[in-house]
Amino acid sequence: MSAIRVAGLWLSTFLLSACAGPDIQSYAERTPSFTPETFFQGELLAHGVVKNRSGEAIRHFNATIDAQWRDGVGTLEERFEFDDGEIQYRTWTLTPNGANHFNATAGDVVGTGKGEHKGNALNLEYTLLIDYNGRDIAVNVDDWMWQVNDHVVINESTLSKWGFKVGSVQLVIQKLKD
């Protein structure tokens, strides 16, 4: 095999592996253990930024979350207040689907999101409808959360369309009461 072919094969393999995201299994031994039923219970606050595709923070927000579990199903009622005065509401329903897996639905989510948690991490993938210049567009969301102590979760969401990153959201979620 020629040196050019070897270099091309190596470069292709490198580029494909660079596109792969983290694997939830790599967090399995990390602590503290992130159990959605425990962390998402009661009152929570969130503070974050929305970034465009180049990484510029274009908006920031504060949110309140009222979370509860009944008969094994979680409900997260969220209220976001953005720096421009816009207020958004979203209510998530989290339904267990096997060990460490759950389904997630909300009014502006297309279909059903799929989530999994291991160790201190939780990954949720879903399609979200967002307003873009007065019309709804669907973007894919790869949502990662890491619990860093009993009262704090760090959240990073990557938004993509047709396989290209179009934005991201970074936030901190703080549990107010046990």
Side-chain angles (χ1 to χ4, degrees):
M1 191 182 295
S2 74
I4 293 175
R5 280 189 167 185
V6 170
L9 182 59
W10 178 85
L11 181 60
S12 296
T13 302
F14 174 76
L15 290 174
L16 285 174
S17 67
C19 295
D23 179 6
I24 193 74
Q25 190 59 42
S26 65
Y27 299 101
E29 301 302 319
R30 297 203 184 166
T31 59
S33 181
F34 189 175
T35 306
E37 298 88 346
T38 303
F39 187 82
F40 294 119
Q41 181 66 41
E43 297 176 45
L44 301 109
L45 293 178
H47 314 282
V49 295
V50 178
K51 295 181 177 182
N52 64 16
R53 68 176 181 238
S54 65
E56 176 188 3
I58 56 173
R59 299 177 86 184
H60 63 269
F61 62 87
N62 294 289
T64 58
I65 305 168
D66 181 26
Q68 55 188 303
W69 292 79
R70 289 203 174 99
D71 300 322
V73 176
T75 303
L76 282 64
E77 295 178 355
E78 302 173 330
R79 180 187 184 276
F80 295 87
E81 187 169 339
F82 290 87
D83 58 313
D84 61 3
E86 179 185 2
I87 301 206
Q88 291 182 8
Y89 296 91
R90 178 174 299 115
T91 300
W92 284 100
T93 301
L94 307 178
T95 307
N97 186 18
N100 297 333
H101 290 83
F102 61 93
N103 294 330
T105 58
D108 53 356
V109 170
V110 177
T112 301
K114 303 293 181 194
E116 182 177 9
H117 59 95
K118 290 219 188 257
N120 75 327
L122 180 149
N123 178 230
L124 176 60
E125 296 179 345
Y126 56 96
T127 301
L128 181 67
L129 292 175
I130 62 169
D131 177 26
Y132 183 74
N133 292 334
R135 65 184 180 103
D136 283 342
I137 63 167
V139 295
N140 297 317
V141 181
D142 187 16
D143 201 357
W144 281 90
M145 299 181 200
W146 300 273
Q147 187 166 352
V148 296
N149 65 42
D150 289 342
H151 300 283
V152 176
V153 164
I154 306 296
N155 186 176
E156 179 177 56
S157 302
T158 302
L159 289 67
S160 62
K161 182 78 174 167
W162 301 305
F164 296 97
K165 181 179 175 180
V166 296
S168 64
V169 179
Q170 283 79 38
L171 62 130
V172 173
I173 304 170
Q174 178 184 8
K175 187 175 179 75
L176 294 181
K177 299 177 184 177
D178 284 327

